[in-house]
Amino acid sequence: MWKEFLLSSLVGNQIAKACTGTINSLSDVSAAVECTTVNINGFTVPGGQALTLDLMDGSTVNMNGDVKFGNLSWAGPLFTISGSSITFNGNGHIFDGGGPFYWDGLGGSGGIQKPDPMMKIRISGTFSNVKVVNSPQRTYSVSNPDTLVMSGLTIDNSQGDLPNAQSDGRPAGHNTDGFDCSTTDLTIENSSIHNQDDCLAINKGSNIVFRGNTCTGGHGISIGSIASDATVSGITISGNTVINNDQALRIKTQATATGSSVSDITYSGNTATGCRLFGVLIDQSYPDTLGTPGNGVKISGINFVSPETTLAVDSGADRVAVNCGVGTCTGTWNWADLTVTGGKAGPITNFNGISGFSQ
């Protein structure tokens, strides 16, 4: 590990050094993060250990090689990054989570303990051009302290589509969510996600934009599941392509949740093909599907605006299903710019406020 151009200045309560720190192993991290430029060269993180970057405000991080994580059953996460006004340049390099060692078709529901999440993002600024392969379970958990743009990312868990010796005929990857978000002021754009669960899951937060992304093989773009005392508002889902997912667009609230709300959700210009179960699913009976809905989460302002969203579902799939609690879905929802083809009409329960759309 080497440093150059040493110059120190006080940033908040941190001493920021205008130097360059280079990481070739975990032993280099503590000194490297004292610099405002950090270069990560290719290396392997030993199993059961994590790469944790607690950065000086205003730092720039450059990946100059691939980072692999050794195999060991433990809680994780494998990678954590924190700091304000950070520029993270992946330069197309890879974080490899070693998923096949852990995958057993059970995800977080049993089997071997899996590091979860793989990537914990706690920065503001930009995080770009990173490729993650083979996450043991959830890939990104995002809870940024201020505005963050994540762009040009790749999540490739495609190996998890196939069964292995531990998965009893099921796809080996399970609960491999792309992005789990509980945050505000976040944009995720121009990224590719191939996984076996939600491409995006927003559990709470506001001012979140998900645009220009491609989601393959999983459970679609989701808001939820919404638990008690959670608020989701001001969400824009636009220009995404969804390929061979269970559903394209979903809002799921827990049947037992109370004191929560979902509002001001805008969909535009999304396309989907090969939806296996639903085109659009809004369901207040989670973890059941189209079961008895709960009455503790208010849903309002769910709109499809121009450009048109076009979804194609498989034969036997429901084009649209809406399962509301009594009096929980309110207002008028403008769905004039939604077209769903194939399949059959799904049930709409306890709500008659959808306008501009019919099955």
Side-chain angles (χ1 to χ4, degrees):
M1 210 288 295
W2 55 274
K3 303 176 186 178
E4 62 182 6
F5 309 120
L6 183 61
L7 179 64
S8 296
S9 61
L10 186 63
V11 179
N13 293 320
Q14 298 174 316
I15 299 296
K17 299 177 182 178
C19 55
T20 297
T22 301
I23 298 175
N24 294 301
S25 69
L26 289 187
S27 63
D28 296 330
V29 172
S30 60
V33 297
E34 294 179 359
C35 295
T36 54
T37 300
V38 178
N39 293 331
I40 303 174
N41 292 331
F43 73 102
T44 297
V45 177
Q49 299 185 53
L51 174 57
T52 300
L53 303 180
D54 186 5
L55 298 165
M56 297 292 173
D57 293 351
S59 292
T60 296
V61 182
N62 303 299
M63 288 186 72
N64 296 328
D66 299 341
V67 175
K68 297 182 179 180
F69 295 92
N71 296 327
L72 187 73
S73 176
W74 70 295
L78 300 182
F79 174 79
T80 300
I81 184 170
S82 58
S84 297
S85 301
I86 304 302
T87 301
F88 191 101
N89 301 312
N91 296 313
H93 288 293
I94 295 171
F95 286 103
D96 186 343
F101 172 82
Y102 304 95
W103 291 339
D104 51 17
L106 297 173
S109 300
I112 188 173
Q113 184 181 35
K114 305 162 185 74
D116 177 58
M118 178 175 167
M119 310 282 289
K120 184 175 283 191
I121 308 301
R122 301 292 184 265
I123 63 170
S124 62
T126 62
F127 186 92
S128 62
N129 298 318
V130 174
K131 183 174 183 179
V132 174
V133 301
N134 297 336
S135 65
Q137 199 171 309
R138 293 181 300 156
T139 308
Y140 283 102
S141 170
V142 186
S143 185
N144 45 297
D146 207 333
T147 302
L148 173 64
V149 177
M150 304 179 72
S151 63
L153 308 178
T154 298
I155 298 171
D156 185 359
N157 288 325
S158 57
Q159 288 187 48
D161 290 345
L162 300 175
N164 64 14
Q166 290 75 45
S167 68
D168 195 26
R170 298 180 296 265
H174 192 67
N175 297 140
T176 53
D177 297 42
F179 299 91
D180 277 5
C181 304
S182 297
T183 191
T184 61
D185 299 326
L186 171 66
T187 297
I188 301 170
E189 62 185 7
N190 304 325
S191 297
S192 175
I193 302 94
H194 188 137
N195 67 341
Q196 295 81 34
D197 210 296
D198 292 333
C199 182
L200 168 73
I202 300 173
N203 301 305
K204 62 180 179 180
S206 62
N207 194 25
I208 298 173
V209 177
F210 190 75
R211 66 188 175 203
N213 305 292
T214 299
C215 303
T216 302
H219 296 174
I221 299 169
S222 294
I223 293 170
S225 66
I226 304 301
S228 293
D229 303 315
T231 299
V232 176
S233 65
I235 310 300
T236 300
I237 309 293
S238 66
N240 301 289
T241 301
V242 181
I243 303 167
N244 297 338
N245 278 241
D246 281 357
Q247 51 270 318
L249 306 169
R250 174 166 62 161
I251 298 174
K252 49 181 176 176
T253 71
Q254 295 178 18
T256 58
T258 59
S260 298
S261 66
V262 176
S263 63
D264 188 19
I265 313 299
T266 302
Y267 300 99
S268 67
N270 302 288
T271 62
T273 56
C275 297
R276 294 182 286 260
L277 301 176
F278 303 93
V280 176
L281 174 62
I282 299 175
D283 191 1
Q284 297 205 269
S285 68
Y286 190 82
D288 293 339
T289 300
L290 300 182
T292 301
N295 297 318
V297 183
K298 299 294 185 182
I299 301 179
S300 63
I302 313 300
N303 296 309
F304 288 83
V305 304
S306 180
E308 184 180 34
T309 288
T310 58
L311 314 176
V313 307
D314 292 348
S315 61
D318 287 353
R319 290 188 287 273
V320 169
V322 178
N323 184 33
C324 296
V326 176
T328 56
C329 295
T330 64
T332 299
W333 302 354
N334 180 7
W335 288 19
D337 285 294
L338 170 65
T339 297
V340 188
T341 60
K344 65 184 188 300
I348 296 179
T349 303
N350 293 327
F351 187 55
N352 60 5
I354 296 172
S355 70
F357 174 84
S358 63
Q359 301 191 74

